[in-house]
Each structure stands twice: as structure tokens, then as C-alpha cells.
Amino acid sequence: MRVLSHLFENNKRWASSIREKDPTFFERLSGQQNPEYLWIGCSDSRVPANQIVGLLPGDIFVHRNVANLVVNGDHNCQSVLQYGVEVLKVRHVIVCGHYGCGGVLAALGQSSLGDLDAWLLHIKEVHSTHRRHLDGLQIPAELHDALCELNIIEQARNVCETRIVQNAWAREQIIDVHAWIYSIRDGILKDLNFTVTSPAEVQPMYANATDSVMKKRTHR
Ligand code: CO
């Protein structure tokens, strides 16, 4: 069991099933990758990028971390973004979080999680930014869902504000930045009304998207 042989068995079956459908699939892909999408998502095991959107290897460049954060100074995320935008020239950057995100839930709590605390501070910041609205939500599940949505919108805006994306837009490279949320209850993705294609759209889209997070909950 030390070598996890069941996973190697799975892998052989998977590779041959792909070859059955498309005999030159791996040969073609081994030449180069040319993905149209960059996915920035949560590490949660229930939110696998390719499967959710039905894409094959080669279709989507992926970065995942706890609670899908895009933090200035995070060399890991910034390197993926830079490579995706400047080398692979992805057409779309998708920030995709999910309801029931453990990172977001932990950021709402008070208990210490060691090394994770510093990371979760970024979500606590999102909470403070929107505190005035979020404090009006009495039901914990509603607060949690709203913060999951707001966190994604904030991170998508962070993508827009990176020098990488700003420079790309300045040289008229076409990149759309999207904010999506996934439901682990039914497997369905939802667009959060944030699709930004130019620097001028960032603030209005952000205002619109964050407004609609609160509106759909306060008008119920
Ligand atoms: Co999560």
C-alpha cells in the first residue's frame, strides 16, 4: 500500500480511456499547452476545476489555494498569473470560490489555526470592508454565503488590479476577468455579475456585484 497502487491502476485506466477516444491526445498535448482559461480556485477537494466545467487536460491553467485568495506579494499566485497572462496568453481569468468554504468559515471564527491565521486575515479584511452590510444578516448561513460571494468578488478585483493584468490591458491584450461561485450541494456554478474586460470597468462592476450580493439577501 506504500506506493498507493490503486491510484496507479486508476491512472492506467484513465490514460487508456482517453487514448481510446482520441489516439493522438497525449502526443498532441505533449508539444505545448494552449489553455484559454486560467482558473484561480479554492483547494477544497470538492471543487476540482477541470471536472466542474467539463474540460480536458490542456484546456485550463490552474492555481488553487485556501479560499481562492489573490494576495499581493504571494509569489506563488502571482507567478501563475504572470505565466498565464504573459506566456500562455489566456483569454479568461476565472476566480471561482464555493459556498461552504472552510477558509471563509474559519475567518469568521475566533479560534487560532496556527499558520493559517495569517492567510485568513485577508478574508477578515473582506469581512471588515463589508461589515456595515454583513452585520445586517442575522442568519449565520446567510452571512457565510454572502461572505463567500464577497470574497470571490474582492479576489477577482485583486486580479484586475495586479500590474500583470493592468499591463496586459494597456498593451491591448484581451483578457476577461470573471467571478464565479460553485455550490458543493448541487454541483452548479453561478456567475457573480462581475466580468471585467478593461480597467474602466473594474470599479463599476465591483460596485454592482457587491451590491447585488447584499440586495438578494435584504429584499427577501
Ligand atoms: Co474553500
Side-chain angles (χ1 to χ4, degrees):
M1 215 34 173
R2 195 172 281 187
V3 292
L4 301 175
S5 50
H6 59 300
L7 297 186
F8 285 89
E9 288 305 317
N10 284 355
N11 166 253
K12 272 187 213 140
R13 271 196 301 275
W14 172 78
S16 38
S17 76
I18 298 249
R19 271 196 304 269
E20 258 167 46
K21 279 179 234 152
D22 183 353
T24 62
F25 181 80
F26 291 109
E27 199 185 341
R28 234 178 25 248
L29 264 192
S30 64
Q32 66 170 106
Q33 60 169 333
N34 188 22
E36 192 178 340
Y37 311 96
L38 164 58
W39 176 280
I40 300 175
C42 183
S43 297
D44 194 302
S45 63
R46 298 163 294 181
V47 196
N50 283 68
Q51 283 100 323
I52 289 174
V53 284
L55 292 178
L56 287 167
D59 289 337
I60 187 161
F61 195 55
V62 173
H63 176 77
R64 288 167 68 181
N65 62 38
V66 172
N68 42 268
L69 301 186
V70 178
V71 176
N72 223 341
D74 171 8
H75 296 301
N76 186 350
C77 182
Q78 300 290 319
S79 304
V80 172
L81 184 63
Q82 184 181 352
Y83 194 79
V85 168
E86 295 178 7
V87 181
L88 299 174
K89 302 217 180 327
V90 294
R91 173 72 178 72
H92 300 273
V93 179
I94 298 156
V95 177
C96 182
H98 64 106
Y99 293 113
C101 184
V104 173
L105 194 58
L108 281 170
Q110 298 303 321
S111 47
S112 171
L113 295 164
D115 282 347
L116 201 48
D117 286 348
W119 189 248
L120 298 180
L121 269 183
H122 301 293
I123 307 171
K124 287 180 189 280
E125 266 171 35
V126 177
H127 188 203
S128 340
T129 304
H130 299 281
R131 174 148 262 148
R132 202 164 57 84
H133 294 300
L134 290 171
D135 280 353
L137 299 175
Q138 303 300 329
I139 306 162
E142 292 231 311
L143 169 62
H144 189 227
D145 285 355
L147 188 55
C148 286
E149 293 180 2
L150 290 169
N151 178 51
I152 298 162
I153 295 162
E154 289 285 339
Q155 306 312 321
R157 182 175 70 164
N158 289 348
V159 169
C160 297
E161 287 178 347
T162 58
R163 202 172 323 153
I164 300 160
V165 170
Q166 290 284 327
N167 287 347
W169 279 333
R171 57 177 182 263
E172 295 187 347
Q173 185 176 338
I174 296 169
I175 300 173
D176 298 357
V177 180
H178 308 261
W180 294 357
I181 193 157
Y182 174 78
S183 168
I184 48 182
R185 287 175 184 275
D186 60 11
I188 297 299
L189 275 173
K190 208 170 62 185
D191 189 283
L192 288 172
N193 304 313
F194 181 99
T195 304
V196 171
T197 65
S198 72
E201 288 176 355
V202 179
Q203 278 319 316
M205 272 285 174
Y206 172 83
N208 196 38
T210 51
D211 274 359
S212 63
V213 169
M214 301 316 302
K215 269 190 198 131
K216 72 182 161 202
R217 291 188 170 83
T218 46
H219 289 307
R220 240 181 235 163

